[in-house]
Amino acid sequence: MTTQTTLAALAAASALLLAGCGGSTQSGDTASNAPANSNSTAAPQMSDQQAPPEQVVVDVTIKDGKVTPTNEQLQAKVGDPIVVRVDSDAADQLHVHSNPEHTFAVEPKAGQSFQFTVTVPGKVDVELHELNRTIASIAVQ
């Protein structure tokens, strides 16, 4: 009987440990679900905070006196960043007819980037002065 009592005690202890572990796992799952939900809630907030603002990007190529794009029609919101990325084989002057106006020196090289914002709604023309081309007209609202 001593062996049976010992086995019964071990079985009862094992059952309690397993129940305790099962309870811990469920508590752990609940605990991990709560932070996961908190993290899930926090994650979109973090990604919203880390997401770049809305912006208009215009990729411009100047090669052998030809410009692409020309007369592109775009839309933007007041205060949103507008980025003009330029690869050019010639020097020129990029002029933004907005209020306030912006002027950027284009060099004969790749990978140039110019950023500006518009604070007054209306039509904004982005032009190259030397080549006398309108790259884009942006309706800013």
Side-chain angles (χ1 to χ4, degrees), residues 3-15:
T3 304
Q4 287 179 344
T5 304
T6 304
L7 288 175
L10 285 174
S14 296

Side-chain angles (χ1 to χ4, degrees), residues 16-132:
L16 286 173
L17 284 173
L18 289 174
C21 288
S24 292
T25 302
Q26 288 178 350
S27 302
D29 287 347
T30 303
S32 66
N33 282 344
N37 289 341
S38 298
N39 288 343
S40 296
T41 303
Q45 290 174 355
M46 288 179 66
S47 64
D48 286 347
Q49 291 173 358
Q50 294 173 354
E54 283 189 40
Q55 63 184 4
V56 172
V57 177
V58 183
D59 289 314
V60 179
T61 302
I62 304 168
K63 186 173 182 179
D64 299 326
K66 295 180 182 176
V67 180
T68 54
T70 55
N71 298 315
E72 186 169 10
Q73 302 297 307
L74 302 169
Q75 294 184 352
K77 294 179 184 173
V78 169
D80 283 352
I82 299 170
V83 178
V84 180
R85 297 187 297 209
V86 180
D87 291 339
S88 179
D89 66 357
D92 207 320
Q93 187 178 51
L94 185 70
H95 190 85
V96 180
H97 293 276
S98 63
N99 187 2
E101 291 191 341
H102 303 276
T103 302
F104 304 98
V106 174
E107 297 177 21
K109 67 179 186 178
Q112 300 170 80
S113 184
F114 309 102
Q115 180 175 318
F116 60 93
T117 57
V118 177
T119 57
V120 177
K123 180 183 170 193
V124 174
D125 288 329
V126 180
E127 302 174 339
L128 288 168
H129 274 236
E130 296 297 318
L131 292 171
N132 195 25

